[in-house]
Amino acid sequence: MFDLGWTEMLVVGVVALIVVGPKDLPVMFRTVGRFVGKAKGMAREFSSAMNDAADQSGIKDVAKGLKTATNPVGSAMDGVRDAAQDMAKSMDFAGKGPDLDKFDPDSETGKLAAERAEDAKKIQAATARTAAERKAREAAEALAKAEEAEAALKSDDESKS
């Protein structure tokens, strides 16, 4: 705000110590702190009041329209992102797959939904197996490194003795 560095703050502190005195300096700093706190509170209140007034007058809608006009690609990407999020919310990624009761099992859609649900289960199982194998491999590598380090420590200890 005032662009004061550490050296300027040190000079102000020394001058305050000399002018006010060491006895009254904590009281002065407390008073200044309260004043700064009140000023920040008033600024925060003013800012929130201005934001509320802007919301009520529709300025944010105008700003959004201007953003769309100045950056159409970004706006299009926002629309695509929103659509993808909506689609992800409508789909079930919790492992159950699509709700097969919605479709006639004899229809092509029902057969395709059942096939995709089965494929999703196979993918989840394969992914879980691969992750478990990777973790086991990493654990074995870590154990081997730990044993090498322990062996090196033992050989160092024996050579020192």
Side-chain angles (χ1 to χ4, degrees):
M1 184 170 142
F2 294 111
D3 196 31
L4 294 177
W6 285 106
T7 55
E8 290 90 358
M9 293 292 282
L10 182 65
V11 170
V12 168
V14 169
V15 170
L17 181 63
I18 293 170
V19 171
V20 175
K23 189 175 184 180
D24 295 329
L25 196 62
V27 176
M28 184 196 73
F29 281 144
R30 191 176 312 121
T31 305
V32 168
R34 286 181 186 157
F35 174 75
V36 169
K38 286 181 183 179
K40 283 185 178 181
M42 288 173 31
R44 196 172 25 252
E45 184 179 327
F46 176 76
S47 177
S48 65
M50 293 305 289
N51 286 336
D52 290 342
D55 287 344
Q56 290 175 358
S57 66
I59 295 293
K60 285 193 176 184
D61 295 334
V62 172
K64 187 175 180 182
L66 287 174
K67 179 184 173 198
T68 303
T70 58
N71 189 4
V73 174
S75 300
M77 292 305 294
D78 289 343
V80 169
R81 187 180 319 112
D82 293 341
Q85 288 174 350
D86 290 342
M87 188 168 67
K89 287 179 186 175
S90 68
M91 297 176 78
D92 180 29
F93 291 113
K96 295 188 295 184
D99 189 7
L100 298 177
D101 296 334
K102 292 181 181 178
F103 307 112
D104 181 18
D106 296 329
S107 70
E108 288 298 316
T109 305
K111 291 176 185 176
L112 184 60
E115 183 180 321
R116 286 189 177 171
E118 186 65 29
D119 289 343
K121 288 179 183 177
K122 288 179 184 177
I123 290 170
Q124 288 174 350
T127 303
R129 176 173 299 283
T130 303
E133 290 171 352
R134 180 182 51 83
K135 286 182 180 180
R137 185 180 66 246
E138 289 174 353
E141 290 172 359
L143 185 60
K145 287 182 181 180
E147 289 173 354
E148 288 175 9
E150 288 173 351
L153 283 174
K154 284 182 181 179
S155 66
D156 287 345
D157 288 342
E158 291 174 358
S159 65
K160 289 181 181 178
S161 299

